[in-house]
Amino acid sequence: MNCWIRAYDHSKFRVADFIHDYGFIDWSMKNHYEPGDIVFLYATAPQSRLRFMMEVEKVNLRADESADDSAYFISQEHYLQWLRHRDGARYVRFLFLKDLSSTALTYENLMQHGLGGAPRSPRRLFPQTVDYIMSHLDQGADPCDPVVSGL
């Protein structure tokens, strides 16, 4: 199992609203996610912090298998831009696990704990960063730890 960070721009799509309404979100899949991977969703500026802990539920979904989220786009322009690339894309479904409200999970603090750069595109997290994140959650075992996950 891997732990990832994935940024989102809440000025284009109402990510938080969709996740709270449906309990998951489908995203275009350009990385090699596997079911069971943990993905931390990072809200870009002005929030600049982790907002959600998600689990990869399904991978390689076709466009017609992904959720109709058209009502959550901020503008018609953003929706039309997304629509032009939708049909050929593959999707991943992230299942909601936890809202992240800790004020310690900001960009600056993540950088001090091994993030290594702005999370512009999805990337795997280093163990140091995962340890820091997990130390600010209200749960016991680290799901990204190979011993805990059974890997």
Side-chain angles (χ1 to χ4, degrees):
M1 175 188 334
N2 293 299
C3 284
W4 301 79
I5 188 168
R6 172 72 165 91
Y8 69 90
D9 183 348
H10 46 284
S11 70
K12 295 181 179 181
F13 186 86
R14 296 182 354 234
V15 170
D17 290 341
F18 189 90
I19 290 171
H20 287 135
D21 289 349
Y22 291 94
F24 70 91
I25 193 162
D26 294 339
W27 225 301
S28 62
M29 184 174 162
K30 297 178 182 171
N31 296 78
H32 298 288
Y33 299 111
E34 295 180 16
D37 283 356
I38 299 299
V39 180
F40 295 98
L41 297 184
Y42 174 87
T44 59
Q47 292 183 15
S48 302
R49 69 179 185 85
L50 294 182
R51 285 290 320 276
F52 299 100
M53 181 177 176
M54 312 291 285
E55 181 179 351
V56 174
E57 181 181 36
K58 297 179 182 178
V59 295
N60 289 316
L61 297 169
R62 295 183 317 267
D64 65 326
E65 296 174 308
S66 67
D68 178 5
D69 54 10
S70 57
Y72 290 81
F73 281 86
I74 302 296
S75 72
Q76 183 70 12
E77 176 186 343
H78 291 124
Y79 173 69
L80 292 174
Q81 180 183 20
W82 167 80
L83 199 56
R84 285 191 291 270
H85 304 286
R86 177 175 164 75
D87 288 336
R90 290 290 187 180
Y91 292 85
V92 58
R93 177 161 292 167
F94 298 145
L95 185 64
F96 172 78
L97 294 178
K98 187 172 188 63
D99 275 308
L100 303 179
S101 58
S102 173
T103 57
L105 299 176
T106 62
Y107 172 72
E108 293 81 15
N109 289 342
L110 294 170
M111 287 293 291
Q112 291 175 7
H113 292 88
L115 182 59
R120 291 188 184 96
S121 60
R123 69 169 93 165
R124 288 186 183 140
L125 291 171
F126 293 114
Q128 174 190 0
T129 311
V130 173
D131 289 346
Y132 175 76
I133 294 167
M134 298 311 291
S135 73
H136 291 88
L137 300 184
D138 295 331
Q139 64 183 47
D142 176 352
C144 301
D145 184 337
V147 174
V148 172
S149 67
L151 297 177

